[in-house]
Every structure is written in structure tokens, then in C-alpha cells.
PDB file of all heavy atoms in Angstrom:
ATOM      1  N   LYS A   1      97.531  96.317 120.619  1.00  0.00           N
ATOM      2  CA  LYS A   1      98.084  96.517 119.267  1.00  0.00           C
ATOM      3  C   LYS A   1      98.613  97.930 119.025  1.00  0.00           C
ATOM      4  O   LYS A   1      99.650  98.103 118.370  1.00  0.00           O
ATOM      5  CB  LYS A   1      96.955  96.170 118.230  1.00  0.00           C
ATOM      6  CG  LYS A   1      96.624  94.651 118.064  1.00  0.00           C
ATOM      7  CD  LYS A   1      95.540  94.554 117.041  1.00  0.00           C
ATOM      8  CE  LYS A   1      95.120  93.087 116.853  1.00  0.00           C
ATOM      9  NZ  LYS A   1      94.031  92.970 115.833  1.00  0.00           N
ATOM     10  N   LYS A   2      97.799  98.908 119.468  1.00  0.00           N
ATOM     11  CA  LYS A   2      98.097 100.300 119.144  1.00  0.00           C
ATOM     12  C   LYS A   2      99.345 100.714 119.991  1.00  0.00           C
ATOM     13  O   LYS A   2     100.298 101.229 119.516  1.00  0.00           O
ATOM     14  CB  LYS A   2      96.875 101.172 119.437  1.00  0.00           C
ATOM     15  CG  LYS A   2      97.135 102.713 119.457  1.00  0.00           C
ATOM     16  CD  LYS A   2      97.323 103.225 118.086  1.00  0.00           C
ATOM     17  CE  LYS A   2      97.154 104.757 118.094  1.00  0.00           C
ATOM     18  NZ  LYS A   2      98.147 105.528 118.900  1.00  0.00           N
ATOM     19  N   TYR A   3      99.198 100.658 121.324  1.00  0.00           N
ATOM     20  CA  TYR A   3     100.145 101.257 122.273  1.00  0.00           C
ATOM     21  C   TYR A   3     101.482 100.472 122.252  1.00  0.00           C
ATOM     22  O   TYR A   3     102.547 101.045 122.258  1.00  0.00           O
ATOM     23  CB  TYR A   3      99.574 101.315 123.680  1.00  0.00           C
ATOM     24  CG  TYR A   3      98.650 102.452 123.878  1.00  0.00           C
ATOM     25  CD1 TYR A   3      97.423 102.167 124.473  1.00  0.00           C
ATOM     26  CD2 TYR A   3      98.923 103.737 123.486  1.00  0.00           C
ATOM     27  CE1 TYR A   3      96.477 103.268 124.713  1.00  0.00           C
ATOM     28  CE2 TYR A   3      98.071 104.780 123.676  1.00  0.00           C
ATOM     29  CZ  TYR A   3      96.874 104.523 124.297  1.00  0.00           C
ATOM     30  OH  TYR A   3      95.976 105.562 124.449  1.00  0.00           O
ATOM     31  N   VAL A   4     101.313  99.139 122.303  1.00  0.00           N
ATOM     32  CA  VAL A   4     102.604  98.343 122.438  1.00  0.00           C
ATOM     33  C   VAL A   4     103.358  98.108 121.160  1.00  0.00           C
ATOM     34  O   VAL A   4     104.588  98.147 121.138  1.00  0.00           O
ATOM     35  CB  VAL A   4     102.223  96.954 123.102  1.00  0.00           C
ATOM     36  CG1 VAL A   4     103.481  96.079 123.207  1.00  0.00           C
ATOM     37  CG2 VAL A   4     101.578  97.139 124.362  1.00  0.00           C
ATOM     38  N   ILE A   5     102.640  98.042 119.999  1.00  0.00           N
ATOM     39  CA  ILE A   5     103.338  97.806 118.758  1.00  0.00           C
ATOM     40  C   ILE A   5     103.313  98.977 117.863  1.00  0.00           C
ATOM     41  O   ILE A   5     104.371  99.455 117.464  1.00  0.00           O
ATOM     42  CB  ILE A   5     102.778  96.472 118.061  1.00  0.00           C
ATOM     43  CG1 ILE A   5     102.694  95.323 118.950  1.00  0.00           C
ATOM     44  CG2 ILE A   5     103.566  96.212 116.815  1.00  0.00           C
ATOM     45  CD1 ILE A   5     101.993  94.104 118.400  1.00  0.00           C
ATOM     46  N   ALA A   6     102.175  99.438 117.377  1.00  0.00           N
ATOM     47  CA  ALA A   6     102.114 100.505 116.356  1.00  0.00           C
ATOM     48  C   ALA A   6     102.787 101.751 116.818  1.00  0.00           C
ATOM     49  O   ALA A   6     103.657 102.282 116.112  1.00  0.00           O
ATOM     50  CB  ALA A   6     100.657 100.799 116.004  1.00  0.00           C
ATOM     51  N   ASP A   7     102.503 102.211 118.025  1.00  0.00           N
ATOM     52  CA  ASP A   7     103.264 103.452 118.486  1.00  0.00           C
ATOM     53  C   ASP A   7     104.710 103.260 118.667  1.00  0.00           C
ATOM     54  O   ASP A   7     105.495 104.226 118.487  1.00  0.00           O
ATOM     55  CB  ASP A   7     102.617 103.890 119.837  1.00  0.00           C
ATOM     56  CG  ASP A   7     101.219 104.552 119.620  1.00  0.00           C
ATOM     57  OD1 ASP A   7     100.792 104.784 118.425  1.00  0.00           O
ATOM     58  OD2 ASP A   7     100.581 104.972 120.634  1.00  0.00           O
ATOM     59  N   ARG A   8     105.111 102.043 118.982  1.00  0.00           N
ATOM     60  CA  ARG A   8     106.578 101.799 119.227  1.00  0.00           C
ATOM     61  C   ARG A   8     107.277 101.819 117.829  1.00  0.00           C
ATOM     62  O   ARG A   8     108.433 102.136 117.705  1.00  0.00           O
ATOM     63  CB  ARG A   8     106.696 100.426 119.898  1.00  0.00           C
ATOM     64  CG  ARG A   8     108.207 100.162 120.199  1.00  0.00           C
ATOM     65  CD  ARG A   8     108.334  98.965 121.177  1.00  0.00           C
ATOM     66  NE  ARG A   8     108.505  99.424 122.543  1.00  0.00           N
ATOM     67  CZ  ARG A   8     107.531  99.386 123.471  1.00  0.00           C
ATOM     68  NH1 ARG A   8     106.394  98.892 123.115  1.00  0.00           N
ATOM     69  NH2 ARG A   8     107.769  99.906 124.689  1.00  0.00           N
ATOM     70  N   LEU A   9     106.513 101.391 116.768  1.00  0.00           N
ATOM     71  CA  LEU A   9     107.139 101.408 115.461  1.00  0.00           C
ATOM     72  C   LEU A   9     107.187 102.782 114.769  1.00  0.00           C
ATOM     73  O   LEU A   9     107.864 102.930 113.731  1.00  0.00           O
ATOM     74  CB  LEU A   9     106.353 100.425 114.584  1.00  0.00           C
ATOM     75  CG  LEU A   9     106.582  98.949 114.817  1.00  0.00           C
ATOM     76  CD1 LEU A   9     105.493  98.086 113.997  1.00  0.00           C
ATOM     77  CD2 LEU A   9     107.962  98.543 114.313  1.00  0.00           C
ATOM     78  N   ASN A  10     106.432 103.683 115.297  1.00  0.00           N
ATOM     79  CA  ASN A  10     106.294 105.033 114.535  1.00  0.00           C
ATOM     80  C   ASN A  10     107.603 105.744 114.375  1.00  0.00           C
ATOM     81  O   ASN A  10     107.880 106.194 113.240  1.00  0.00           O
ATOM     82  CB  ASN A  10     105.379 105.891 115.351  1.00  0.00           C
ATOM     83  CG  ASN A  10     104.912 107.093 114.538  1.00  0.00           C
ATOM     84  OD1 ASN A  10     104.902 107.025 113.289  1.00  0.00           O
ATOM     85  ND2 ASN A  10     104.430 108.179 115.094  1.00  0.00           N
ATOM     86  N   ILE A  11     108.454 105.817 115.374  1.00  0.00           N
ATOM     87  CA  ILE A  11     109.747 106.569 115.226  1.00  0.00           C
ATOM     88  C   ILE A  11     110.691 105.908 114.231  1.00  0.00           C
ATOM     89  O   ILE A  11     111.107 106.589 113.302  1.00  0.00           O
ATOM     90  CB  ILE A  11     110.417 106.755 116.601  1.00  0.00           C
ATOM     91  CG1 ILE A  11     109.571 107.715 117.474  1.00  0.00           C
ATOM     92  CG2 ILE A  11     111.812 107.284 116.475  1.00  0.00           C
ATOM     93  CD1 ILE A  11     110.015 107.899 118.797  1.00  0.00           C
ATOM     94  N   PRO A  12     110.984 104.554 114.342  1.00  0.00           N
ATOM     95  CA  PRO A  12     111.835 103.940 113.324  1.00  0.00           C
ATOM     96  C   PRO A  12     111.320 104.031 111.984  1.00  0.00           C
ATOM     97  O   PRO A  12     112.067 104.256 110.976  1.00  0.00           O
ATOM     98  CB  PRO A  12     111.957 102.489 113.840  1.00  0.00           C
ATOM     99  CG  PRO A  12     110.949 102.265 114.782  1.00  0.00           C
ATOM    100  CD  PRO A  12     110.609 103.563 115.445  1.00  0.00           C
ATOM    101  N   VAL A  13     109.981 103.817 111.802  1.00  0.00           N
ATOM    102  CA  VAL A  13     109.421 103.889 110.414  1.00  0.00           C
ATOM    103  C   VAL A  13     109.596 105.252 109.813  1.00  0.00           C
ATOM    104  O   VAL A  13     109.986 105.451 108.685  1.00  0.00           O
ATOM    105  CB  VAL A  13     107.937 103.488 110.435  1.00  0.00           C
ATOM    106  CG1 VAL A  13     107.184 103.923 109.188  1.00  0.00           C
ATOM    107  CG2 VAL A  13     107.828 101.976 110.679  1.00  0.00           C
ATOM    108  N   THR A  14     109.246 106.278 110.624  1.00  0.00           N
ATOM    109  CA  THR A  14     109.394 107.695 110.203  1.00  0.00           C
ATOM    110  C   THR A  14     110.748 108.008 109.796  1.00  0.00           C
ATOM    111  O   THR A  14     111.084 108.677 108.760  1.00  0.00           O
ATOM    112  CB  THR A  14     108.989 108.714 111.249  1.00  0.00           C
ATOM    113  OG1 THR A  14     107.548 108.351 111.634  1.00  0.00           O
ATOM    114  CG2 THR A  14     108.972 110.133 110.798  1.00  0.00           C
ATOM    115  N   LEU A  15     111.832 107.600 110.587  1.00  0.00           N
ATOM    116  CA  LEU A  15     113.238 107.843 110.334  1.00  0.00           C
ATOM    117  C   LEU A  15     113.629 107.131 109.003  1.00  0.00           C
ATOM    118  O   LEU A  15     114.320 107.759 108.120  1.00  0.00           O
ATOM    119  CB  LEU A  15     114.122 107.259 111.410  1.00  0.00           C
ATOM    120  CG  LEU A  15     114.173 108.125 112.652  1.00  0.00           C
ATOM    121  CD1 LEU A  15     114.904 107.418 113.743  1.00  0.00           C
ATOM    122  CD2 LEU A  15     114.826 109.498 112.359  1.00  0.00           C
ATOM    123  N   VAL A  16     113.168 105.888 108.775  1.00  0.00           N
ATOM    124  CA  VAL A  16     113.517 105.188 107.558  1.00  0.00           C
ATOM    125  C   VAL A  16     112.909 105.932 106.319  1.00  0.00           C
ATOM    126  O   VAL A  16     113.681 106.058 105.291  1.00  0.00           O
ATOM    127  CB  VAL A  16     112.990 103.683 107.592  1.00  0.00           C
ATOM    128  CG1 VAL A  16     113.064 103.053 106.204  1.00  0.00           C
ATOM    129  CG2 VAL A  16     113.799 102.924 108.479  1.00  0.00           C
ATOM    130  N   PHE A  17     111.747 106.348 106.344  1.00  0.00           N
ATOM    131  CA  PHE A  17     111.059 106.876 105.158  1.00  0.00           C
ATOM    132  C   PHE A  17     111.483 108.339 104.901  1.00  0.00           C
ATOM    133  O   PHE A  17     111.474 108.739 103.731  1.00  0.00           O
ATOM    134  CB  PHE A  17     109.546 106.806 105.300  1.00  0.00           C
ATOM    135  CG  PHE A  17     108.941 105.537 104.908  1.00  0.00           C
ATOM    136  CD1 PHE A  17     108.923 104.415 105.813  1.00  0.00           C
ATOM    137  CD2 PHE A  17     108.556 105.240 103.585  1.00  0.00           C
ATOM    138  CE1 PHE A  17     108.409 103.195 105.418  1.00  0.00           C
ATOM    139  CE2 PHE A  17     108.083 104.040 103.196  1.00  0.00           C
ATOM    140  CZ  PHE A  17     107.930 102.940 104.132  1.00  0.00           C
ATOM    141  N   THR A  18     111.882 109.099 105.891  1.00  0.00           N
ATOM    142  CA  THR A  18     112.425 110.456 105.714  1.00  0.00           C
ATOM    143  C   THR A  18     113.830 110.497 105.426  1.00  0.00           C
ATOM    144  O   THR A  18     114.265 111.524 104.787  1.00  0.00           O
ATOM    145  CB  THR A  18     111.989 111.358 106.939  1.00  0.00           C
ATOM    146  OG1 THR A  18     112.546 110.699 108.131  1.00  0.00           O
ATOM    147  CG2 THR A  18     110.533 111.532 107.093  1.00  0.00           C
ATOM    148  N   ASN A  19     114.595 109.503 105.722  1.00  0.00           N
ATOM    149  CA  ASN A  19     116.053 109.504 105.518  1.00  0.00           C
ATOM    150  C   ASN A  19     116.511 108.261 104.794  1.00  0.00           C
ATOM    151  O   ASN A  19     117.610 107.682 105.142  1.00  0.00           O
ATOM    152  CB  ASN A  19     116.848 109.663 106.802  1.00  0.00           C
ATOM    153  CG  ASN A  19     116.346 110.879 107.635  1.00  0.00           C
ATOM    154  OD1 ASN A  19     116.712 112.035 107.286  1.00  0.00           O
ATOM    155  ND2 ASN A  19     115.660 110.618 108.745  1.00  0.00           N
ATOM    156  N   TYR A  20     115.765 107.791 103.850  1.00  0.00           N
ATOM    157  CA  TYR A  20     115.970 106.516 103.233  1.00  0.00           C
ATOM    158  C   TYR A  20     117.385 106.394 102.505  1.00  0.00           C
ATOM    159  O   TYR A  20     117.893 105.327 102.421  1.00  0.00           O
ATOM    160  CB  TYR A  20     114.838 106.158 102.206  1.00  0.00           C
ATOM    161  CG  TYR A  20     114.735 106.986 101.033  1.00  0.00           C
ATOM    162  CD1 TYR A  20     115.342 106.695  99.861  1.00  0.00           C
ATOM    163  CD2 TYR A  20     113.974 108.182 101.083  1.00  0.00           C
ATOM    164  CE1 TYR A  20     115.278 107.502  98.737  1.00  0.00           C
ATOM    165  CE2 TYR A  20     113.863 108.996  99.963  1.00  0.00           C
ATOM    166  CZ  TYR A  20     114.524 108.716  98.829  1.00  0.00           C
ATOM    167  OH  TYR A  20     114.408 109.447  97.673  1.00  0.00           O
ATOM    168  N   THR A  21     117.871 107.559 102.071  1.00  0.00           N
ATOM    169  CA  THR A  21     119.189 107.509 101.380  1.00  0.00           C
ATOM    170  C   THR A  21     120.351 107.207 102.291  1.00  0.00           C
ATOM    171  O   THR A  21     121.431 106.887 101.815  1.00  0.00           O
ATOM    172  CB  THR A  21     119.505 108.914 100.712  1.00  0.00           C
ATOM    173  OG1 THR A  21     119.327 109.909 101.734  1.00  0.00           O
ATOM    174  CG2 THR A  21     118.452 109.142  99.521  1.00  0.00           C
ATOM    175  N   HIS A  22     120.102 107.295 103.696  1.00  0.00           N
ATOM    176  CA  HIS A  22     121.112 107.057 104.640  1.00  0.00           C
ATOM    177  C   HIS A  22     121.205 105.578 105.050  1.00  0.00           C
ATOM    178  O   HIS A  22     122.134 105.220 105.832  1.00  0.00           O
ATOM    179  CB  HIS A  22     120.925 107.855 105.886  1.00  0.00           C
ATOM    180  CG  HIS A  22     120.935 109.386 105.554  1.00  0.00           C
ATOM    181  ND1 HIS A  22     120.508 110.329 106.487  1.00  0.00           N
ATOM    182  CD2 HIS A  22     121.315 110.101 104.559  1.00  0.00           C
ATOM    183  CE1 HIS A  22     120.648 111.565 105.990  1.00  0.00           C
ATOM    184  NE2 HIS A  22     121.182 111.400 104.737  1.00  0.00           N
ATOM    185  N   TYR A  23     120.390 104.762 104.619  1.00  0.00           N
ATOM    186  CA  TYR A  23     120.255 103.381 105.159  1.00  0.00           C
ATOM    187  C   TYR A  23     120.535 102.325 104.014  1.00  0.00           C
ATOM    188  O   TYR A  23     120.213 102.566 102.850  1.00  0.00           O
ATOM    189  CB  TYR A  23     118.924 103.146 105.777  1.00  0.00           C
ATOM    190  CG  TYR A  23     118.655 104.041 106.956  1.00  0.00           C
ATOM    191  CD1 TYR A  23     117.685 104.958 106.880  1.00  0.00           C
ATOM    192  CD2 TYR A  23     119.418 103.995 108.131  1.00  0.00           C
ATOM    193  CE1 TYR A  23     117.398 105.847 108.005  1.00  0.00           C
ATOM    194  CE2 TYR A  23     119.159 104.800 109.138  1.00  0.00           C
ATOM    195  CZ  TYR A  23     118.198 105.819 109.029  1.00  0.00           C
ATOM    196  OH  TYR A  23     117.943 106.612 110.114  1.00  0.00           O
ATOM    197  N   HIS A  24     121.059 101.169 104.399  1.00  0.00           N
ATOM    198  CA  HIS A  24     121.203 100.074 103.522  1.00  0.00           C
ATOM    199  C   HIS A  24     119.829  99.372 103.219  1.00  0.00           C
ATOM    200  O   HIS A  24     118.830  99.587 103.949  1.00  0.00           O
ATOM    201  CB  HIS A  24     122.214  99.047 104.095  1.00  0.00           C
ATOM    202  CG  HIS A  24     123.533  99.601 104.191  1.00  0.00           C
ATOM    203  ND1 HIS A  24     124.054  99.995 105.426  1.00  0.00           N
ATOM    204  CD2 HIS A  24     124.537  99.713 103.324  1.00  0.00           C
ATOM    205  CE1 HIS A  24     125.327 100.436 105.208  1.00  0.00           C
ATOM    206  NE2 HIS A  24     125.647 100.266 103.883  1.00  0.00           N
ATOM    207  N   GLY A  25     119.827  98.510 102.203  1.00  0.00           N
ATOM    208  CA  GLY A  25     118.635  97.836 101.725  1.00  0.00           C
ATOM    209  C   GLY A  25     117.944  97.045 102.843  1.00  0.00           C
ATOM    210  O   GLY A  25     116.794  96.984 102.895  1.00  0.00           O
ATOM    211  N   GLY A  26     118.718  96.353 103.628  1.00  0.00           N
ATOM    212  CA  GLY A  26     118.152  95.549 104.708  1.00  0.00           C
ATOM    213  C   GLY A  26     117.301  96.316 105.698  1.00  0.00           C
ATOM    214  O   GLY A  26     116.233  95.984 106.126  1.00  0.00           O
ATOM    215  N   THR A  27     117.896  97.545 106.046  1.00  0.00           N
ATOM    216  CA  THR A  27     117.205  98.446 106.886  1.00  0.00           C
ATOM    217  C   THR A  27     115.913  98.966 106.263  1.00  0.00           C
ATOM    218  O   THR A  27     114.863  99.140 106.977  1.00  0.00           O
ATOM    219  CB  THR A  27     118.083  99.527 107.360  1.00  0.00           C
ATOM    220  OG1 THR A  27     119.210  99.098 107.915  1.00  0.00           O
ATOM    221  CG2 THR A  27     117.388 100.415 108.411  1.00  0.00           C
ATOM    222  N   LEU A  28     115.978  99.309 104.967  1.00  0.00           N
ATOM    223  CA  LEU A  28     114.781  99.744 104.228  1.00  0.00           C
ATOM    224  C   LEU A  28     113.711  98.773 104.170  1.00  0.00           C
ATOM    225  O   LEU A  28     112.483  99.020 104.314  1.00  0.00           O
ATOM    226  CB  LEU A  28     115.241 100.241 102.788  1.00  0.00           C
ATOM    227  CG  LEU A  28     116.206 101.376 102.703  1.00  0.00           C
ATOM    228  CD1 LEU A  28     116.418 101.755 101.149  1.00  0.00           C
ATOM    229  CD2 LEU A  28     115.615 102.569 103.437  1.00  0.00           C
ATOM    230  N   PHE A  29     114.149  97.433 103.950  1.00  0.00           N
ATOM    231  CA  PHE A  29     113.165  96.349 103.976  1.00  0.00           C
ATOM    232  C   PHE A  29     112.487  96.291 105.366  1.00  0.00           C
ATOM    233  O   PHE A  29     111.259  96.073 105.368  1.00  0.00           O
ATOM    234  CB  PHE A  29     113.813  95.063 103.622  1.00  0.00           C
ATOM    235  CG  PHE A  29     112.891  93.923 103.539  1.00  0.00           C
ATOM    236  CD1 PHE A  29     112.009  93.734 102.330  1.00  0.00           C
ATOM    237  CD2 PHE A  29     112.753  93.045 104.550  1.00  0.00           C
ATOM    238  CE1 PHE A  29     111.161  92.731 102.281  1.00  0.00           C
ATOM    239  CE2 PHE A  29     111.770  91.965 104.462  1.00  0.00           C
ATOM    240  CZ  PHE A  29     111.006  91.849 103.349  1.00  0.00           C
ATOM    241  N   LEU A  30     113.278  96.362 106.407  1.00  0.00           N
ATOM    242  CA  LEU A  30     112.659  96.375 107.747  1.00  0.00           C
ATOM    243  C   LEU A  30     111.739  97.583 107.917  1.00  0.00           C
ATOM    244  O   LEU A  30     110.686  97.477 108.572  1.00  0.00           O
ATOM    245  CB  LEU A  30     113.729  96.413 108.773  1.00  0.00           C
ATOM    246  CG  LEU A  30     114.481  95.084 109.107  1.00  0.00           C
ATOM    247  CD1 LEU A  30     115.560  95.333 110.139  1.00  0.00           C
ATOM    248  CD2 LEU A  30     113.583  94.007 109.498  1.00  0.00           C
ATOM    249  N   GLY A  31     112.010  98.714 107.268  1.00  0.00           N
ATOM    250  CA  GLY A  31     111.143  99.872 107.347  1.00  0.00           C
ATOM    251  C   GLY A  31     109.801  99.559 106.629  1.00  0.00           C
ATOM    252  O   GLY A  31     108.743  99.943 107.135  1.00  0.00           O
ATOM    253  N   MET A  32     109.939  98.888 105.492  1.00  0.00           N
ATOM    254  CA  MET A  32     108.688  98.491 104.732  1.00  0.00           C
ATOM    255  C   MET A  32     107.779  97.596 105.588  1.00  0.00           C
ATOM    256  O   MET A  32     106.625  97.705 105.770  1.00  0.00           O
ATOM    257  CB  MET A  32     109.087  97.709 103.463  1.00  0.00           C
ATOM    258  CG  MET A  32     109.659  98.561 102.355  1.00  0.00           C
ATOM    259  SD  MET A  32     110.005  97.469 100.969  1.00  0.00           S
ATOM    260  CE  MET A  32     111.442  98.233 100.318  1.00  0.00           C
ATOM    261  N   PHE A  33     108.505  96.529 106.172  1.00  0.00           N
ATOM    262  CA  PHE A  33     107.850  95.617 107.099  1.00  0.00           C
ATOM    263  C   PHE A  33     107.211  96.363 108.257  1.00  0.00           C
ATOM    264  O   PHE A  33     106.113  96.099 108.598  1.00  0.00           O
ATOM    265  CB  PHE A  33     108.885  94.533 107.586  1.00  0.00           C
ATOM    266  CG  PHE A  33     108.334  93.758 108.725  1.00  0.00           C
ATOM    267  CD1 PHE A  33     107.441  92.613 108.426  1.00  0.00           C
ATOM    268  CD2 PHE A  33     108.713  93.897 110.014  1.00  0.00           C
ATOM    269  CE1 PHE A  33     106.945  91.920 109.492  1.00  0.00           C
ATOM    270  CE2 PHE A  33     108.298  93.101 111.020  1.00  0.00           C
ATOM    271  CZ  PHE A  33     107.397  92.090 110.768  1.00  0.00           C
ATOM    272  N   GLY A  34     108.030  97.241 108.899  1.00  0.00           N
ATOM    273  CA  GLY A  34     107.552  97.942 110.050  1.00  0.00           C
ATOM    274  C   GLY A  34     106.383  98.865 109.724  1.00  0.00           C
ATOM    275  O   GLY A  34     105.436  98.926 110.492  1.00  0.00           O
ATOM    276  N   TYR A  35     106.373  99.504 108.594  1.00  0.00           N
ATOM    277  CA  TYR A  35     105.217 100.321 108.223  1.00  0.00           C
ATOM    278  C   TYR A  35     103.982  99.483 108.010  1.00  0.00           C
ATOM    279  O   TYR A  35     102.909  99.862 108.428  1.00  0.00           O
ATOM    280  CB  TYR A  35     105.505 101.186 106.974  1.00  0.00           C
ATOM    281  CG  TYR A  35     104.315 102.032 106.626  1.00  0.00           C
ATOM    282  CD1 TYR A  35     103.867 103.080 107.425  1.00  0.00           C
ATOM    283  CD2 TYR A  35     103.610 101.666 105.484  1.00  0.00           C
ATOM    284  CE1 TYR A  35     102.764 103.830 107.131  1.00  0.00           C
ATOM    285  CE2 TYR A  35     102.410 102.448 105.156  1.00  0.00           C
ATOM    286  CZ  TYR A  35     102.002 103.517 106.036  1.00  0.00           C
ATOM    287  OH  TYR A  35     100.882 104.206 105.744  1.00  0.00           O
ATOM    288  N   THR A  36     104.176  98.379 107.375  1.00  0.00           N
ATOM    289  CA  THR A  36     102.961  97.546 107.045  1.00  0.00           C
ATOM    290  C   THR A  36     102.363  97.005 108.376  1.00  0.00           C
ATOM    291  O   THR A  36     101.198  96.999 108.568  1.00  0.00           O
ATOM    292  CB  THR A  36     103.388  96.306 106.162  1.00  0.00           C
ATOM    293  OG1 THR A  36     104.016  96.791 104.951  1.00  0.00           O
ATOM    294  CG2 THR A  36     102.194  95.487 105.810  1.00  0.00           C
ATOM    295  N   MET A  37     103.244  96.606 109.338  1.00  0.00           N
ATOM    296  CA  MET A  37     102.757  96.146 110.580  1.00  0.00           C
ATOM    297  C   MET A  37     102.161  97.392 111.438  1.00  0.00           C
ATOM    298  O   MET A  37     101.130  97.163 112.055  1.00  0.00           O
ATOM    299  CB  MET A  37     103.896  95.541 111.459  1.00  0.00           C
ATOM    300  CG  MET A  37     104.451  94.265 110.966  1.00  0.00           C
ATOM    301  SD  MET A  37     103.199  92.927 110.865  1.00  0.00           S
ATOM    302  CE  MET A  37     102.778  92.876 109.144  1.00  0.00           C
ATOM    303  N   MET A  38     102.701  98.490 111.304  1.00  0.00           N
ATOM    304  CA  MET A  38     102.271  99.663 112.011  1.00  0.00           C
ATOM    305  C   MET A  38     100.870  99.983 111.432  1.00  0.00           C
ATOM    306  O   MET A  38      99.866 100.248 112.316  1.00  0.00           O
ATOM    307  CB  MET A  38     103.146 100.854 111.820  1.00  0.00           C
ATOM    308  CG  MET A  38     102.762 102.109 112.621  1.00  0.00           C
ATOM    309  SD  MET A  38     103.983 103.430 112.333  1.00  0.00           S
ATOM    310  CE  MET A  38     103.280 104.218 110.963  1.00  0.00           C
ATOM    311  N   LEU A  39     100.721 100.039 110.124  1.00  0.00           N
ATOM    312  CA  LEU A  39      99.337 100.350 109.547  1.00  0.00           C
ATOM    313  C   LEU A  39      98.355  99.257 109.906  1.00  0.00           C
ATOM    314  O   LEU A  39      97.238  99.658 110.311  1.00  0.00           O
ATOM    315  CB  LEU A  39      99.602 100.339 107.996  1.00  0.00           C
ATOM    316  CG  LEU A  39      98.392 100.654 107.193  1.00  0.00           C
ATOM    317  CD1 LEU A  39      97.971 102.087 107.245  1.00  0.00           C
ATOM    318  CD2 LEU A  39      98.638 100.342 105.650  1.00  0.00           C
TER     319      LEU A  39
END
């Protein structure tokens, strides 16, 4: 769970949350989903 999924999600989730003004709503929703799964 940690190495294969959570760690793989860390970079995209970080990019979405730190640069949210650069992305469309669909990508932001995937960021929300990704963060919830990562957590």
C-alpha cells in the first residue's frame, strides 16, 4: 500500500495542491481523489 500506491501518488498530489491555479477542475478533482487515497 505504501510503496506501490501512496509513494507513487505523492508527487502528483503535491504538484496539484501547490500549483492548483494552473490546472483545470478535472485535474483538481483527481488531486483530491489522489490525496484521499494517499492518506
Side-chain angles (χ1 to χ4, degrees):
K1 288 179 178 178
K2 167 73 162 65
Y3 283 131
V4 178
I5 307 176
D7 283 356
R8 185 168 262 104
L9 284 169
N10 193 23
I11 290 175
V13 165
T14 303
L15 284 170
V16 167
F17 277 86
T18 53
N19 304 287
Y20 65 93
T21 55
H22 298 167
Y23 300 111
H24 293 99
T27 306
L28 295 183
F29 182 79
L30 283 178
M32 295 180 207
F33 168 76
Y35 178 69
T36 304
M37 291 300 103
M38 187 179 86
L39 180 70

